[in-house]
Amino acid sequence: SLGTGTVQGMGIKTAAAIAAVALIALAGCSAAPAPAETSTATPAPDTASVERWAGLVAERQFETDDWLEDWDDRGCSGLQIANPACNVTLTSAAFIAQTNHIVIAGPSDPAARTYLGEVPAEIDDLYAATIKVTQEADDAATAWLDAKCADGREECVKIAIDLERAIDATRTKFAAW
């Protein structure tokens, strides 16, 4: 059945977002045209601050810690992948590991849309070590996802333990920031 109090069953947030977009569009139609810009855009800095880099890690650390808390609260381990709740939770860890690597490594790649600039010299070694750990976790995540271990097969235990350890190593490296 359709939800009550919403437009055709949409959630309140969705309906509010659509209404806000419509109001902005209507306001744009009645407003005077914007003056042409005469200044050029400021180029991105060559180096982002240490705080900005640390902020990226902090964002990912929160999600990684949250996952580990769920993992522990469920009493899971790599040895218990036959337990559907643990298996699904480990699969979510795989996606977190992949996201961690993308979010942490991307900003140092000049070809990436998320490029922040050169890594500040004072955190270069820590950043490189963090990239290494997130890459290892990403590799373990890919192995888990490729193995299709949803049925909890015995041969998947090593893959599960490798991913669990890689997530824990990532958490440890994130804590170093």
Side-chain angles (χ1 to χ4, degrees):
S1 95
L2 296 177
T4 60
T6 61
V7 179
Q8 296 293 322
M10 277 188 248
I12 299 233
K13 289 181 183 177
T14 302
I18 290 170
V21 169
L23 286 173
I24 291 169
L26 288 173
C29 290
S30 64
E37 287 190 32
T38 56
S39 64
T40 58
T42 305
D46 292 330
T47 303
S49 70
V50 171
E51 292 77 18
R52 179 66 181 115
W53 290 95
L56 290 172
V57 172
E59 290 170 16
R60 299 310 311 153
Q61 182 177 7
F62 176 79
E63 188 169 1
T64 303
D65 287 347
D66 192 44
W67 177 85
L68 280 162
E69 186 177 315
D70 283 349
W71 181 251
D72 290 342
D73 288 349
R74 292 172 195 245
C76 293
S77 79
L79 297 173
Q80 297 174 326
I81 60 168
N83 174 333
C86 294
N87 194 294
V88 168
T89 304
L90 194 60
T91 299
S92 71
F95 296 123
I96 289 169
Q98 290 176 331
T99 303
N100 284 346
H101 185 63
I102 291 166
V103 170
I104 301 300
S108 65
D109 179 0
R113 295 177 69 187
T114 56
Y115 182 62
L116 289 178
E118 293 293 321
V119 177
E122 59 265 41
I123 61 166
D124 194 46
D125 290 342
L126 178 59
Y127 181 73
T130 304
I131 294 297
K132 182 179 185 286
V133 168
T134 62
Q135 179 63 64
E136 290 167 354
D138 185 30
D139 293 345
T142 299
W144 171 258
L145 295 171
D146 288 350
K148 297 179 178 24
C149 291
D151 59 359
R153 295 183 315 272
E154 185 67 31
E155 61 268 19
C156 292
V157 171
K158 180 187 179 324
I159 299 167
I161 290 171
D162 288 347
L163 178 54
E164 181 182 14
R165 287 180 178 162
I167 291 286
D168 194 46
T170 301
R171 178 185 189 189
T172 300
K173 187 52 68 181
F174 285 173
W177 282 78

